[in-house]
């Protein structure tokens, strides 16, 4: 096979996110979509799809490299020789999963990542992995994944569709994703429509048709970005578009409008909420249900209460009992329980007759015999029975008997347990891989966990080796290869080998975020980098972690922002500042609100009594007792 010259997909993505260059990210997403559709139609599979095994051709197309793990029909029935990069593979994949559907999960992960980065390139700076966005830990515990929650918070219609497939695949451990091809085809059509739109109207084509809620006196309508009213101001209230639908109220009833201005859902509901995952919660005659984007009542209004869809399921209550419905309205967990909690890995923690067990979407039930239960983590959950703790798997098998005095969740294949007053760790098979000899223990982070011995703290690795001796007075968990430790009443940092890279001279320290850690000395906060260099002197009375390359700091009773070099890009002159969202941060001065950009310029003056963060280029603000919308440059869509 000939050598392929060029740069990898990962290199292109890193450069485009740094600039940021949204057009390039959109093109990369489109190119991968085309490759993925072709690949799903073949009888073979690559076996190790990831950012480093995809080369970007000069014409923008993508080429596959490294075929060592490839499946071809002649290998049917044989085990795989390698399992591919963990950041792109289903956690349940084993050598026995070796067929033409081998790439389904990897395609889903890469497509989701590229689509998300094209919408929010700043997420690339917030990831804690060498992959595009996601890592194995996100797949092992999707319901507690910070990055997956951030993707869900984007509330983007295409991203939500990919997220639903991802959650479904992880929760039921399904490696063949049958709906993936249809979704890719649908997304491909959207890409083509966007490309044609760009060719026809090069000067920001989306702005010509985008509708913005416009307030005129006490009535609302919709206008274009240049304030040309296209839908008369006849509504009592209107909200901006979410998932291509806008919430509107008329005569005390709520409905929805689409992006063409058509009232696709008539104003007949007593209450309604924004769309999430293609479904909106609505209230009718005091009961709750859900509608789809076409306005069809896919979940009838028969429930006493309901919560928004999350990861493909919604919690509902009927006749005093709780269950879950799926997007088609099927009660996949019937409403027969006193209480239910969000699903973890296909099972919901449920309470019945004051006892706890688990119900699942395929009607499996773990009996209600436990005093307490927690959610599933890495395929196992801890349960309490008669004051003792053990673990069951998703099949309901008690793989670890209830013999421990206490137990914690699984993290990185290990769970801490307490026996005879001492702590140790078990693996997923229930084996005590680290004996119960410690006075206390924390969870594993980055393959290390803190432990207490003789009143002092150190760290053990996954096999129980004490890689950091128990000599410290208090520890923090490892983050980005560093952990804070307390010695002689002062804090410093160690690396994963136990080397004290930052001397214990600080009053307090916080975990690393975006390559920076907050440190406090002489009552003042500053920042250091991963080498231990204090790049921001300790001169601030308060400071927050870096987010999108900016950190909030307080000096002389006022707040501002610094960049990673320590430069005060926004002077400390505000009463309060919020983190950046869509390149804008909400700030308060003299009891009024405005917005600043990443360069520290006050692009929206502090003249508003109230303000909410930007979402899809618009922010809701309040002036003279009335709420209305502004764009990112401060243009007001309002008139008396």
């Amino acid at each position: 096979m000939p050598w392929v010259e060029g740069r990898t997909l990962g290199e292109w993505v890193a450069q485009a996110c740094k600039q940021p260059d949204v057009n390039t990210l959109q093109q990369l997403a489109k190119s991968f979509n085309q490759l993925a559709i072709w690949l799903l139609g073949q009888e073979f599979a690559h076996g190790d799809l990831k950012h480093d095994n995809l080369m970007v051709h000069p014409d923008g197309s993508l080429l596959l490299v490294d075929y060592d793990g490839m499946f071809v029909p002649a290998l049917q029935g044989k085990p795989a020789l390698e399992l591919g990069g963990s950041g792109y593979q289903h956690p349940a994949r084993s050598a026995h999963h070796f067929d033409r559907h081998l790439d389904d999960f990897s395609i889903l992960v890469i497509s989701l990542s590229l689509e998300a980065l094209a919408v929010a390139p700043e997420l690339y700076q917030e990831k804690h992995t060498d992959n595009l966005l996601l890592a194995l830990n996100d797949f092992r515990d999707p319901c507690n994944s910070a990055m997956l929650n951030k993707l869900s918070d984007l509330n983007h219609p295409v991203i939500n569709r990919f997220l639903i497939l991802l959650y479904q695949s992880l929760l039921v451990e399904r490696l063949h994703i049958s709906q993936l091809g249809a979704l890719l085809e649908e997304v491909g059509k959207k890409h083509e429509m966007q490309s044609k739109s760009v060719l026809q109207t090069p000067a920001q084509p989306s702005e010509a048709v985008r509708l913005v809620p416009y307030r005129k006196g006490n009535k609302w309508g919709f206008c274009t970005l240049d304030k040309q009213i296209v839908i008369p101001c006849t509504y009592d209230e209107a909200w901006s578009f979410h998932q291509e639908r806008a919430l509107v109220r008329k005569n005390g009833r709520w409905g929805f409008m689409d992006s063409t201005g058509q009232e696709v859902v008539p104003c007949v509901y007593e209450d309604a909420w924004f769309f999430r995952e293609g479904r909106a919660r609505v209230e009718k005659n005091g009961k709750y249900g859900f509608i789809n984007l076409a306005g069809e009542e896919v979940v009838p209004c028969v429930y006493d209460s309901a919560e928004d869809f999350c990861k493909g399921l919604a919690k509902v209550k009927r006749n005093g009992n709780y269950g879950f419905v799926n997007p088609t309205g099927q009660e996949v967990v019937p409403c027969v329980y006193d209480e239910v909690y969000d699903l973890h890995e296909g099972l919901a923690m449920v309470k019945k007759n004051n006892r706890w067990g688990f119900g699942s979407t395929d009607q499996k039930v773990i009996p209600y015999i436990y005093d307490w239960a927690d959610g599933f983590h890495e395929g196992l959950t801890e349960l309490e029975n008669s004051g003792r703790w053990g673990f069951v798997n998703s099949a309901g098998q008690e793989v670890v008997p209830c013999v421990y005095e206490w137990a914690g969740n699984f993290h990185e294949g290990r769970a801490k347990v307490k026996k005879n007053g001492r702590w140790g760790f078990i693996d997923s098979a229930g084996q005590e891989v680290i004996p119960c000899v410690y006075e206390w223990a924390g969870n594993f982070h980055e393959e290390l966990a803190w432990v207490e011995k003789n009143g002092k703290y150190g760290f053990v690795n996954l096999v129980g080796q004490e890689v950091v001796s128990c000599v410290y007075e208090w520890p923090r968990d490892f983050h980005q290869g560093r952990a804070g430790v307390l010695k002689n009443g002062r804090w410093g940092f160690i690396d994963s080998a136990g080397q004290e890279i930052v001397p214990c001279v600080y009053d307090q320290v916080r975990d690393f975020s975006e390559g920076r850690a907050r440190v406090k000395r002489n009552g003042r906060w500053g920042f250091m980098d991963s080498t231990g260099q204090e790049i921001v002197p300790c001169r601030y009375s308060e400071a927050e972690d870096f987010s999108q390359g900016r950190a909030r700091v307080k000096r002389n009773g006022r707040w501002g922002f610094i960049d990673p070099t320590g430069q005060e890009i926004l002077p400390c002159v505000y009463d309060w500042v919020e983190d950046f969202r869509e390149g804008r941060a909400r700030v308060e001065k003299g009891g009024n609100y405005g917005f600043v950009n990443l360069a520290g310029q006050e692009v929206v003056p502090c003249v508003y009594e109230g303000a909410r963060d930007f979402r899809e280029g618009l922010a809701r603000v309040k002036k003279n007792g009335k709420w209305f919308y502004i764009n990112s440059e401060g243009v007001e869509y309002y008139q008396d």
Side-chain angles (χ1 to χ4, degrees):
M1 185 172 296
W3 181 262
V4 177
E5 297 286 352
R7 296 165 63 202
T8 66
L9 175 64
E11 291 171 324
W12 273 90
V13 168
Q15 180 179 333
C17 288
K18 184 178 180 180
Q19 290 177 344
D21 182 353
V22 173
N23 288 334
T24 293
L25 291 168
Q26 290 174 341
Q27 181 57 48
L28 291 172
K30 177 182 177 181
S31 295
F32 181 76
N33 181 274
Q34 293 169 341
L35 174 66
I37 292 172
W38 173 81
L39 196 54
L40 287 177
Q42 306 307 307
E43 294 298 320
F44 61 83
H46 182 274
D48 190 17
L49 283 182
K50 56 184 180 181
H51 63 293
D52 288 338
N53 283 345
L54 289 158
M55 307 297 291
V56 181
H57 193 270
D59 66 4
S61 62
L62 297 177
L63 303 173
L64 296 170
V65 296
D66 189 357
Y67 292 84
D68 293 346
M70 186 176 184
F71 167 83
V72 294
L75 297 176
Q76 187 73 46
K78 295 183 179 181
L81 297 178
E82 58 179 61
L83 299 182
S86 61
Y88 295 92
Q89 301 297 328
H90 198 293
R93 181 185 171 185
S94 70
H96 300 293
H97 295 102
F98 195 50
D99 58 25
R100 63 183 295 263
H101 300 296
L102 204 56
D103 294 329
D104 286 17
F105 189 78
S106 305
I107 288 173
L108 176 58
V109 170
I110 296 172
S111 292
L112 168 61
S113 300
L114 292 174
E115 294 290 343
L117 289 171
V119 172
E122 66 273 10
L123 289 175
Y124 192 81
Q125 309 305 323
E126 300 179 28
K127 68 189 180 78
H128 302 296
T129 171
D130 291 332
N131 305 322
L132 291 177
L133 269 185
L134 302 169
L136 180 59
N137 285 340
D138 297 306
F139 307 145
R140 282 177 169 167
D141 192 7
C143 296
N144 292 309
S145 163
M147 182 55 73
L148 287 175
N149 285 332
K150 288 178 180 179
L151 298 186
S152 182
D153 287 343
L154 293 175
N155 203 18
H156 187 279
V158 171
I159 295 169
N160 286 340
R161 296 280 300 281
F162 280 113
L163 281 172
I164 290 172
L165 287 188
L166 182 74
Y167 288 126
Q168 289 174 344
S169 173
L170 292 170
L171 293 175
V172 300
E173 296 189 350
R174 184 182 298 125
L175 278 68
H176 171 35
I177 306 169
S178 58
Q179 297 171 291
L180 180 58
L183 176 56
L184 291 173
E185 294 279 1
E186 186 177 330
V187 171
K189 292 177 182 177
K190 289 182 180 290
H191 287 156
E192 290 301 325
M193 289 176 63
Q194 290 170 352
S195 298
K196 290 177 182 178
S197 179
V198 169
L199 289 173
Q200 292 167 1
T201 51
Q204 300 181 354
S206 59
E207 295 189 358
V209 295
R210 184 177 180 187
L211 297 180
V212 178
Y214 187 88
R215 181 167 188 167
K216 187 176 181 180
N218 290 322
K219 292 294 182 179
W220 292 76
F222 288 84
C223 67
T224 60
L225 287 175
D226 59 1
K227 302 176 75 168
Q228 298 297 313
I229 296 178
V230 294
I231 297 174
C233 296
T234 59
Y235 291 98
D236 302 326
E237 193 169 351
W239 289 79
S240 61
F241 282 86
H242 296 270
Q243 294 195 12
E244 301 176 2
R245 296 292 181 270
L247 192 56
V248 292
R249 180 168 61 90
K250 186 164 53 177
N251 301 324
R253 291 288 187 266
W254 292 90
F256 287 90
M257 180 177 294
D258 68 14
S259 57
T260 68
Q262 181 183 356
E263 201 174 282
V264 289
V265 181
C267 293
V268 297
Y269 293 102
E270 295 151 29
D271 211 343
W273 288 259
F274 295 126
F275 274 89
R276 285 189 65 88
E277 300 184 5
R279 298 292 182 267
R281 183 164 38 118
V282 292
E283 180 185 359
K284 186 169 64 177
N285 300 325
K287 297 291 184 179
Y288 297 86
F290 292 87
I291 59 174
N292 62 16
L293 290 167
E296 300 166 329
E297 217 168 89
V298 290
V299 180
C301 292
V302 298
Y303 294 100
D304 305 325
S305 68
E307 296 179 8
D308 287 337
F309 271 87
C310 180
K311 305 171 180 68
L313 294 168
K315 178 180 175 179
V316 292
K317 180 182 181 182
R318 183 162 57 178
N319 300 327
N321 292 320
Y322 293 91
F324 284 93
V325 295
N326 67 13
T328 66
Q330 180 186 2
E331 255 183 43
V332 291
V333 175
C335 290
V336 297
Y337 300 105
D338 304 334
E339 184 56 88
V340 298
Y341 286 98
D342 288 347
L343 266 79
H344 286 257
E345 303 184 18
L347 292 177
M349 188 166 73
V350 297
K351 184 180 182 182
K352 196 170 186 179
N353 301 325
N354 211 32
R355 306 294 286 174
W356 291 90
F358 288 84
S360 76
T361 55
D362 57 4
Q363 308 305 313
K364 285 189 304 186
V365 172
I366 296 177
Y368 323 112
I369 60 174
Y370 296 98
D371 303 327
W372 179 250
D374 203 353
F376 276 82
H377 296 266
E378 300 183 13
L380 295 166
T381 183
E382 68 269 30
L383 307 103
E384 182 187 9
N385 195 1
S386 302
R388 295 287 168 169
W389 293 78
F391 290 82
V392 301
N393 61 20
S394 56
Q397 300 166 328
E398 198 170 275
V399 294
V400 180
C402 292
V403 298
Y404 292 102
E405 296 154 23
W406 196 263
N409 292 331
F410 268 86
H411 291 263
E412 301 182 5
R414 300 290 184 267
K416 61 181 181 181
V417 291
K418 186 179 183 183
K419 185 171 66 176
N420 300 325
R422 298 283 170 168
W423 291 85
F425 291 86
I426 61 172
D427 64 16
S428 57
Q431 296 297 313
E432 260 181 44
V433 290
I434 301 176
C436 293
V437 297
Y438 294 102
E439 294 151 30
W440 199 14
N443 293 319
F444 272 90
H445 286 262
E446 299 184 7
E447 301 185 356
L448 292 168
W450 56 260
V451 291
E452 181 186 4
K453 185 169 64 176
N454 300 324
K456 298 289 185 179
Y457 295 84
F459 287 83
V460 295
N461 62 17
L462 291 168
V463 297
Q465 296 171 324
E466 218 169 270
V467 294
V468 180
S469 300
C470 292
V471 298
Y472 295 102
E473 296 156 18
W474 193 254
R476 295 181 68 88
D477 291 326
F478 270 88
H479 289 270
Q480 299 184 14
R482 304 289 185 265
V485 288
L486 181 69
K487 186 169 67 174
N488 299 325
R490 293 284 181 235
W491 287 88
F493 282 94
I494 59 173
D495 63 17
S496 56
Q499 184 74 26
E500 208 169 278
I501 59 167
V502 178
C504 293
V505 297
Y506 291 99
D507 305 339
Q508 294 182 45
V509 299
R510 294 292 182 263
D511 298 328
F512 273 85
S513 173
E514 296 190 7
R516 301 289 185 266
R518 283 182 284 156
V519 293
K520 187 177 186 181
R521 182 161 51 184
N522 299 326
R524 297 286 170 175
W525 289 93
F527 289 84
M528 68 170 50
D529 64 16
S530 58
T531 68
Q533 180 182 357
E534 198 174 287
I535 55 172
V536 180
C538 294
R539 61 189 180 194
Y540 296 102
S541 57
E542 292 185 52
E544 301 295 335
D545 287 338
F546 272 89
S547 174
Q548 295 188 33
R550 299 291 183 267
R552 294 181 282 159
V553 291
K554 186 179 183 182
R555 183 166 57 170
N556 300 326
R558 294 289 184 264
W559 288 86
F561 282 97
I562 60 172
D563 67 14
T565 69
Q567 181 182 355
E568 232 173 69
I569 56 116
L570 181 70
C572 293
V573 297
Y574 292 97
D575 302 330
W576 180 247
V577 296
E578 294 282 354
D579 282 332
F580 278 88
R581 186 182 180 93
E582 296 188 5
R584 297 290 183 268
R586 187 158 34 113
V587 295
E588 179 186 0
K589 185 163 56 177
N592 288 324
Y593 297 88
F595 292 87
V596 297
N597 63 16
L598 288 166
Q601 300 165 324
E602 195 175 286
V603 290
V604 179
C606 292
V607 297
Y608 297 104
E609 302 151 21
R612 294 177 175 168
D613 287 333
F614 274 89
R615 196 179 188 102
E616 297 184 22
L618 297 172
R620 202 169 171 101
V621 296
K622 183 180 182 182
K623 187 163 68 174
N624 299 327
K626 294 183 177 180
W627 288 93
F628 55 90
Y629 284 91
I630 61 172
N631 70 10
S632 58
E633 301 304 319
V635 174
E636 294 182 346
Y637 296 97
Y638 166 76
Q639 70 180 95
D640 286 323

